[in-house]
Amino acid sequence: MRTPLVIGNWKMHGTLAEARALAGAIREMIRRPRGVQVVVCPPFTALAAVAEVLAGGPIQLGAQTCHHEPAGAHTGEISAPMLVDVGCRWVLVGHSERRKEIGESDEVISLKLRAALAHGLTPVLCVGETAEERRQGFTFTTVEGQLRAGLAGVAAGELGKVVIAYEPVWAIGTGVNATPGQAGEVHGYLRGLLSELASKEVAQAVRILYGGSVKGENVDALVAEAEIDGALVGGASLNAQGFVAIVRRAARAGAASKE
Ligand code: 13P
C-alpha cells in the first residue's frame, strides 16, 4: 500500500533563524510519524541549516528545484549532486511557479527529473492546469501532456521512483482548493497514464499528491479519496502547528481510506 506523504514547500520564505525555528518545531512535534512520511523543502539558503536541525530524525529534506547538469558554468544554479551533498533526498521539479515565472519548459523539466533520478534523489513532478484550461475543458489534455513530457526518457523500471503532484494552478495560494472529487478524478487519470507508461503494478505503487490551498480543514477529505496519497503544502507549511496538524490528519485519513 502507498504510505501517505506530506511535503511542505516553503517557497521563497524564511531567514536562517526562521527556517531553523520552523524545522525545529516540526521535528519536536513529529518524533515518530506513524503511517505517514514527511518532507520539508526550504529555500536553498536554508538547506544546510535545516539539514542540521533534522539530522537523525524522521523528517526528510527536499529542495524546490535543481539544475539538470551535475556541475559547470551555470551562474546561480544548484545541481542535483550538490543537493545530495547538503542532505536532500527529494526535489520538486516543474512547479507551476517555475513554469510560469522562469519559463521552465517540459523539456527542461524532464532533464531535471532524470538528473534527480541519476543522483538518487526522489523527484516530485508537479503538473496542473490553469483556470482557463479547466474552463475550456483542457484539464486532462494539459496534465497528460505535462506528465508524458516530464517522464519522457525515463526507463519504465525507474518510473516507480517518481512522485507526482497534481497542483491545479487556480488552487495555488488562492484559498480555493480542488474538491476531493475534482482532484480524485485527475489523480485517477494520471494513474491510468502511469499504468500505460510503466505497468499496473508500478502505477499502483506511485504516490500522487494533491497541492493547492491544502490546510488542516480540507486535507482529511482530500486524502480520504482512494487516489490521493498525500499533500504538497505551500502557505500552510510555514506554520509548524498548522503543518503538523495536516500531517496528522493525512496519516489518519490515509489509514482510514485503506480499511
Ligand atoms: P499553497 O498551499 O500555498 O496553495 O501552495 C501550494 C503549492 O504550490 C505547493 O507546492
Side-chain angles (χ1 to χ4, degrees):
M1 281 317 288
R2 303 184 292 266
T3 304
L5 168 63
V6 178
I7 303 180
N9 174 9
W10 296 2
K11 305 192 180 181
M12 196 174 71
H13 290 287
T15 59
L16 277 181
E18 285 163 348
R20 277 197 196 98
L22 178 55
I26 295 169
R27 178 174 180 168
E28 200 48 41
M29 285 187 269
I30 308 179
R31 299 207 179 166
R32 249 172 272 128
R34 253 176 242 129
V36 64
Q37 193 173 17
V38 186
V39 176
V40 293
C41 301
F44 288 135
T45 48
L47 285 174
V50 171
E52 261 178 44
V53 173
L54 299 181
I59 298 161
Q60 297 184 354
L61 188 66
Q64 300 172 16
T65 185
C66 67
H67 194 268
H68 59 274
E69 295 286 351
H74 304 289
T75 302
E77 295 291 338
I78 308 279
S79 73
M82 288 170 171
L83 295 180
V84 172
D85 184 46
V86 77
C88 288
R89 299 183 51 186
W90 302 74
V91 64
L92 308 181
V93 291
H95 192 283
S96 64
E97 284 151 14
R98 297 197 57 85
R99 291 180 191 263
K100 181 158 172 269
E101 293 178 17
I102 318 288
E104 272 185 16
S105 65
D106 280 325
E107 291 68 33
V108 164
I109 290 162
S110 139
L111 290 173
K112 287 172 186 248
L113 186 139
R114 279 178 277 161
L117 285 174
H119 294 279
L121 291 164
T122 300
V124 180
L125 173 63
C126 306
V127 302
E129 82 286 1
T130 62
E132 189 53 30
E133 285 162 341
R134 179 165 277 267
R135 240 191 320 274
Q136 296 190 3
F138 293 143
T139 297
F140 295 103
T141 328
T142 302
V143 297
E144 174 166 356
Q146 292 170 336
L147 187 85
R148 285 187 187 278
L151 297 178
V154 178
E158 295 271 281
L159 286 173
K161 298 181 182 167
V162 173
V163 167
I164 309 296
Y166 169 55
E167 297 207 303
V169 177
W170 49 269
I172 296 177
T174 59
V176 182
N177 58 286
T179 64
Q182 284 173 323
E185 181 181 44
V186 176
H187 284 225
Y189 186 74
L190 293 170
R191 203 177 300 287
L193 291 169
L194 288 171
S195 225
E196 204 185 287
L197 292 169
S199 67
K200 191 149 188 274
E201 292 66 38
V202 168
Q204 282 307 318
V206 169
R207 284 176 292 184
I208 307 180
L209 311 182
Y210 167 77
S213 299
V214 171
K215 39 189 185 276
E217 299 82 65
N218 59 24
V219 73
D220 313 61
L222 287 158
V223 176
E225 278 288 318
E227 294 295 345
I228 303 181
D229 307 315
L232 178 52
V233 188
S237 72
L238 295 172
N239 173 278
Q241 280 183 333
F243 182 64
V244 170
I246 291 172
V247 169
R248 296 206 170 117
R249 283 167 175 247
R252 272 200 301 272
S257 73
K258 286 181 201 93
E259 271 168 11

